[in-house]
Amino acid sequence: MKEHPIFTTQISETLAGDSAGLDGAWLAWNFSKAITEANRMLEEASTQLSSGDTLTPFIHLMGAPNVFKRAEGLKVEDSKSWNECCEYFGWTTSKGLKNDLIDVFQSVFLKGDEARQLLLTEYHSRMSSSKTLEALAVIKILEAEHPKEDAYKADLLRLNKRLAAELDADLMEISAGVVSGTTAEEVYFKYEQGGFDEMGEGNLVSSVRETISKSRYETWTKKLSETHSMISDSSKWKACEGLYFEVRYNLENGCFSELATEADKKKLKETKEALSRFRGEHDLELQIKDADEEFSGSNLNRKEKQALINRITDLVGHGKKLGYSLDYSILDRVNGGKGGAQKKQKSNAKAPKPQPAAKPAKVAKKETEKAEPTVSSGAEDKKGSKMPL
């Protein structure tokens, strides 16, 4: 599971109306992916535990990333409202973290000095058996859990140097034809998946890393081209959005900044801008439709009706300002319903924020009939989120 931001705060801000549109959809997609990856690791550990092995799942979950610590960032205080928001706007939904499995592991695993002693014994056992890559996972846990222990830092440093030398030797043997049946890329993958991230800058290592990086980059830029070609067809924007998120995630976690061409940067930018518009139109259309239904079907008193007319006026005005191609006839209907008197009244509501709408109309109106107008515009990514592209 890759590093991810703490979602708790971001989701709370989104539900408070600080971000929606493409930003909200991107947040929901990342949150769902993080939940899925955490659950996958928990299920793998559960299978290991069912065989009577407690050490393997302990190292599996306590390693990088530490699933128990990551789980803290995946808690949502108002999960019901978040799920309703995702369903309302058509964002990616999440099934929820398997907290029952977390409870099981925390009740079974050793803690404190007992856990430390167990890990130390396992580390020395693996080192004495020359299982250096397997030993790396253990010393990394010890160093992370006990950051003030200089001995663990020193052990990790020595092991990294040893692994770098072993990797160089393995690659040299493949280059010289001494070893057959495997490739330099496969060896590199083995060390990478083992958590070794101090591979150095030797000629062979750098060459293999460059080959792998280019291969990964080409894979995702091909998908980027596929995504970019879809934005001209407005009927495919939802499928395009999902593919864009997948491409964006993998490029951000790869080497896009190093290898990206100006043409690829332009494709990514144009795709994002087009999707921001499609998503903004979609979200605003939902809110206008809900407001129309509420105006037509609810028994509102005069004050409530005027507040709703003000909200509709703001929604329509926002859509027209952004040039959205929507049906705005609702404004004529609601004003006509008041005999044209409302045309003389100015809305007392504040100008709508770009991209709030985190609490959708259907959700918000259950809580209050006097909620401020909410709109979605496809604004740029929220400051503080991990969205460098």
Side-chain angles (χ1 to χ4, degrees), residues 122-385:
E122 182 64 18
Y123 170 67
H124 291 303
S125 173
R126 293 183 180 190
M127 287 296 291
S128 63
S129 302
S130 296
K131 296 179 179 179
T132 49
L133 196 55
E134 290 86 344
L136 178 65
V138 182
I139 195 61
K140 276 190 168 184
I141 296 173
L142 285 166
E143 194 273 336
E145 293 297 309
H146 307 281
K148 295 182 179 180
E149 292 284 350
D150 292 337
Y152 299 148
K153 294 185 190 311
D155 283 342
L156 180 58
L157 181 62
R158 283 194 295 270
L159 183 54
N160 277 330
K161 289 181 178 178
R162 179 171 171 177
L163 283 167
E166 289 178 1
L167 174 59
D168 280 338
D170 289 345
L171 293 176
M172 200 171 293
E173 287 182 348
I174 293 172
S175 178
V178 176
V179 176
S180 60
T182 188
T183 66
E185 289 76 16
E186 288 171 342
V187 171
Y188 187 97
F189 284 141
K190 183 184 76 171
Y191 281 81
E192 184 181 55
Q193 291 170 358
F196 183 49
D197 48 16
E198 300 290 338
M199 299 185 186
E201 298 297 332
N203 290 336
L204 283 174
V205 171
S206 296
S207 176
V208 174
R209 182 188 295 118
E210 184 179 355
T211 299
I212 292 172
S213 294
K214 285 183 176 179
S215 176
R216 289 172 176 171
Y217 178 75
E218 288 172 1
T219 296
W220 289 106
T221 49
K222 284 181 181 178
K223 287 187 177 292
L224 172 59
S225 295
E226 178 185 344
T227 308
H228 184 264
S229 67
M230 294 169 65
I231 61 176
S232 59
D233 186 347
S234 60
S235 67
K236 296 181 179 179
W237 77 267
K238 283 287 287 181
C240 182
E241 183 184 71
L243 187 56
Y244 163 75
F245 289 156
E246 185 181 2
V247 169
R248 177 176 170 179
Y249 178 87
N250 282 278
L251 288 177
E252 284 185 1
N253 288 281
C255 50
F256 187 80
S257 60
E258 299 173 14
L259 299 176
T261 64
E262 289 303 315
D264 289 332
K265 290 179 181 178
K266 183 180 179 183
K267 285 180 183 177
L268 195 66
K269 182 175 181 291
E270 290 176 348
T271 303
K272 179 180 178 180
E273 290 174 347
L275 287 173
S276 291
R277 182 179 180 85
F278 288 137
R279 171 55 72 178
E281 286 188 344
H282 169 268
D283 292 358
L284 188 62
E285 186 175 31
L286 280 177
Q287 294 169 84
I288 290 176
K289 180 182 178 182
D290 275 0
D292 192 3
E293 291 177 356
E294 186 176 355
F295 186 84
S296 303
S298 300
N299 295 319
L300 303 175
N301 60 39
R302 183 175 179 180
K303 186 176 181 181
E304 291 170 336
K305 183 164 286 191
Q306 181 59 55
L308 185 56
I309 290 174
N310 291 343
R311 180 171 183 271
I312 292 169
T313 301
D314 284 328
L315 290 171
V316 170
H318 189 68
K320 287 182 176 180
K321 180 180 178 181
L322 294 173
Y324 289 167
S325 301
L326 301 175
D327 178 10
Y328 298 123
S329 60
I330 180 178
L331 192 58
D332 294 330
R333 291 199 302 278
V334 298
N335 280 325
K338 294 293 291 182
Q342 307 307 332
K343 295 179 182 180
K344 300 178 183 179
Q345 299 186 30
K346 294 183 179 180
S347 170
N348 294 321
K350 295 180 180 179
K353 298 178 184 177
Q355 291 286 51
K359 283 190 177 180
K362 287 184 177 178
V363 176
K365 70 183 181 183
K366 292 177 183 177
E367 300 171 1
T368 174
E369 294 292 348
K370 301 179 182 180
E372 285 289 305
T374 57
V375 295
S376 296
S377 63
E380 291 301 308
D381 290 327
K382 181 172 178 61
K383 186 176 180 181
S385 301

Side-chain angles (χ1 to χ4, degrees), residues 52-70:
D53 179 6
T54 57
L55 179 61
T56 302
F58 180 74
I59 294 173
H60 181 64
L61 297 178
M62 291 289 289
N66 183 314
V67 174
F68 299 115
K69 291 181 179 179
R70 295 295 181 268

